Amino acid sequence: MPDIPTETNSTIVPIETTSEPATTNTSQQEGTKQPHNQRSTRFAIVKAIAIICVVLSHAGVRGWLFNFLFIFHVPVFFLCAGYFFHLKYLNDEHTFLMHRIKGLYIPFWKWSVILLVLHNLFFHLGILSEQFGNASGGVTHPFTWHQFCQNLWSITVNMSGYDQFMGGTFWFFRALLVASVGFLIVFKLVERSGYCRTRIQSGWALLIIGLLLTMWKVGEGFSLTGIAQGGYRELMGFTFMAAGFLLAQYRLTEWLSWKVAVPCLAVLILASFFFPSSMVWNAKWSDFLSLPIPAVAAFIALVYACGWIDRYEGFAKRTLVFVGNNTLYVFAFHLAAFKVVSALKVAFYGLPWEAVGSHPTITTPESNFIWVTLYTLVGVGIPLAGITLYRHFASQVHITEHQLVKVLRFLIKGAVSITIAIGLGIARFFKNLWNSFVQMIKEISEASSTKDE
């Protein structure tokens, strides 16, 4: 049975970007002003549609729609990250780094470790299977203790080693973290070089640097040391961040109209027919050359469309805004939520229960429109319902810092007391065992004494 292949482009998923709007000093030269009103609900809707497209692309769609979705749904999140890059971080690197660690590394580590601990249990429950895997025939296996330790180390050190089926989308945490940190570092170097007098010029410099580095990596086929899968996705993420930042400098939302959006949509559609691409980790020249322009064009068209949606208050807008503000949870848990629909499909078609382990959906029989819709609705709905319930119950619990400290002290004292009691019990057990052993030797010695004879 073949092992599961490492992250294919069938598991591309984005994470919520929470960057703040860009601002600038009023003393900067013309062309350096940052776009205003960037935290409007328009971009929450942009992210909502992007994450729905991500879930849909994993829900069993095929053919042209599959190619159409994969061109833009991941790049949109990198573009948003660049669009909302805050210039204050150029002089406050510590805050930026802490923000990214808390928003990307910690959730990645926490959820990856949870899935790692539960990995073997999923096999006993039939959620993962050694007979059923992904469409290419790859499967996953229970972990030995050595494999568990290796994956834990990889998760902690270089953000790899996560569960390829239940957490197969987690590469995006690493890609966005590395791309963001690299973007800040290169931005500071560009600013200090003195060659760029405006933010627009800096944006173009960042974009050119990103494209050249990515071309070099693809052309030579080398790997970025220490980055899992070689770093192509991280370099493309950097490039899309630069493109998003540049669009912000040109104040995209102010001049955007249907005369721009329609041609951009046409570029996306044509690319999906003739030059399909995605942020696949092992990209070739064709993948690289056919991705940046259609992806940026799709972002521009999507921003325009979401501007229209944003104008009309109602249930649809409120729902999309809610989804857009919680894309992190949909991203992280939609593959796990898919198992619910896979269980229904197993029951409906009378398949063996182990077929639930198919990744990301059951491919035989192939999903029709109804199953694709169910996978999409459940993939979006269950994570959102879960976080809503968690927030509801969490809001009912009110505990002060002093009370929390008292609880922690009680737990620590309890743990220490239990540990001491167990230790004393073990010591008493071995003491009694030793005394019994000594008594037995003594009795044997007395019984074999020659004095009585």
Side-chain angles (χ1 to χ4, degrees):
M1 188 70 66
D3 292 334
I4 173 176
T6 57
E7 301 167 341
T8 63
N9 62 350
S10 63
T11 56
I12 297 179
V13 180
I15 187 174
E16 179 185 13
T17 52
T18 56
S19 301
E20 299 177 12
T23 58
T24 186
N25 191 296
T26 55
S27 63
Q28 292 174 339
Q29 300 180 29
E30 184 180 357
T32 64
K33 294 182 179 180
Q34 298 288 318
H36 64 293
N37 195 29
Q38 290 192 347
R39 299 306 289 176
S40 69
T41 51
R42 169 188 284 201
F43 284 92
I45 298 171
V46 169
K47 292 190 294 181
I49 293 177
I51 195 63
I52 292 171
C53 288
V54 166
V55 179
L56 178 60
S57 69
H58 295 157
V61 296
R62 294 292 181 267
W64 170 81
L65 182 57
F66 181 85
N67 296 333
F68 178 84
L69 297 173
F70 267 91
I71 287 178
F72 72 91
H73 62 20
V74 172
V76 160
F77 287 89
F78 285 107
L79 285 158
C80 283
Y83 194 90
F84 289 104
F85 179 79
H86 207 310
L87 291 174
K88 72 176 184 179
Y89 292 133
L90 293 175
N91 298 309
D92 190 7
E93 303 87 347
H94 180 267
T95 300
F96 179 82
L97 185 59
M98 291 300 101
H99 176 76
R100 283 309 190 192
I101 289 176
K102 291 179 181 179
L104 295 172
Y105 179 81
I106 291 179
F108 167 85
W109 189 91
K110 176 174 60 178
W111 292 332
S112 295
V113 171
I114 290 174
L115 292 179
L116 177 63
V117 171
L118 297 176
H119 180 81
N120 286 4
L121 177 62
F122 288 148
F123 281 92
H124 293 294
L125 298 176
I127 296 175
L128 294 176
S129 170
E130 291 186 277
Q131 289 75 42
F132 295 86
N134 58 21
S136 62
V139 297
T140 185
H141 308 285
F143 292 147
T144 64
W145 173 247
H146 173 77
Q147 291 171 326
F148 177 91
C149 294
Q150 178 60 66
N151 287 336
L152 179 60
W153 177 266
S154 298
I155 288 169
T156 305
V157 174
N158 71 342
M159 300 179 73
S160 62
Y162 46 84
D163 193 310
Q164 290 289 328
F165 278 10
M166 301 297 287
T169 60
F170 283 19
W171 65 264
F172 196 90
F173 284 105
R174 179 187 68 242
L176 185 55
L177 177 60
V178 174
S180 299
V181 174
F183 185 81
L184 177 66
I185 293 173
V186 177
F187 202 151
K188 290 180 67 67
L189 293 175
V190 167
E191 291 281 291
R192 291 182 179 180
S193 69
Y195 292 108
C196 299
R197 298 183 178 180
T198 66
R199 299 300 188 199
I200 290 179
Q201 292 177 355
S202 297
W204 277 110
L206 290 166
L207 180 59
I208 293 172
I209 291 171
L211 289 171
L212 290 177
L213 288 175
T214 310
M215 289 173 61
W216 186 28
K217 189 261 183 289
V218 174
E220 293 298 328
F222 65 86
S223 297
L224 301 185
T225 303
I227 299 180
Q229 299 186 326
Y232 172 77
R233 286 166 164 169
E234 286 74 13
L235 287 176
M236 282 304 301
F238 175 97
T239 303
F240 282 124
M241 284 188 65
F245 178 80
L246 194 56
L247 288 172
Q249 306 315 300
Y250 282 110
R251 306 179 73 87
L252 172 65
T253 57
E254 294 187 3
W255 53 261
L256 185 57
S257 68
W258 69 268
K259 295 180 180 179
V260 176
V262 171
C264 286
L265 179 61
V267 169
L268 172 62
I269 294 175
L270 290 173
S272 63
F273 275 110
F274 301 105
F275 308 103
S277 184
S278 67
M279 288 184 66
V280 60
W281 66 274
N282 55 347
K284 300 179 176 60
W285 272 112
S286 58
D287 300 306
F288 166 67
L289 294 176
S290 58
L291 182 62
I293 293 177
V296 173
F299 176 74
I300 294 173
L302 185 59
V303 170
Y304 176 77
C306 292
W308 279 94
I309 298 174
D310 191 41
R311 296 180 183 182
Y312 302 97
E313 299 296 333
F315 175 78
K317 176 184 174 179
R318 292 195 300 271
T319 301
L320 288 173
V321 170
F322 177 73
V323 174
N325 289 333
N326 294 278
T327 55
L328 175 65
Y329 308 101
V330 179
F331 155 74
F333 301 115
H334 76 277
L335 292 180
F338 278 178
K339 300 301 180 182
V340 175
V341 181
S342 291
L344 293 176
K345 196 171 181 180
V346 163
F348 184 82
Y349 289 108
L351 303 173
W353 173 252
E354 290 77 11
V356 173
S358 301
H359 174 76
T361 64
I362 296 177
T363 57
T364 305
E366 187 173 337
S367 294
N368 55 27
F369 174 79
I370 294 176
W371 289 112
V372 169
T373 303
L374 282 175
Y375 273 117
T376 303
L377 291 175
V378 170
V380 175
I382 287 183
L384 293 179
I387 189 59
T388 300
L389 289 174
Y390 171 80
R391 289 170 178 169
H392 172 74
F393 288 110
S395 65
Q396 306 302 315
V397 179
H398 302 285
I399 183 171
T400 64
E401 183 177 350
H402 178 68
Q403 291 172 328
L404 180 60
V405 171
K406 291 180 65 176
V407 170
L408 291 175
R409 286 178 178 175
F410 173 79
L411 292 175
I412 293 173
K413 288 181 179 179
V416 171
S417 300
I418 292 173
T419 302
I420 293 174
I422 293 175
L424 292 175
I426 293 174
R428 190 175 293 110
F429 170 79
F430 281 104
K431 181 179 179 181
N432 293 334
L433 184 64
W434 173 255
N435 290 336
S436 299
F437 176 76
V438 171
Q439 182 65 27
M440 181 183 67
I441 296 298
K442 182 178 180 180
E443 291 176 354
I444 293 174
S445 176
E446 291 177 352
S448 61
S449 175
T450 58
K451 293 180 179 181
D452 296 335
E453 297 177 357

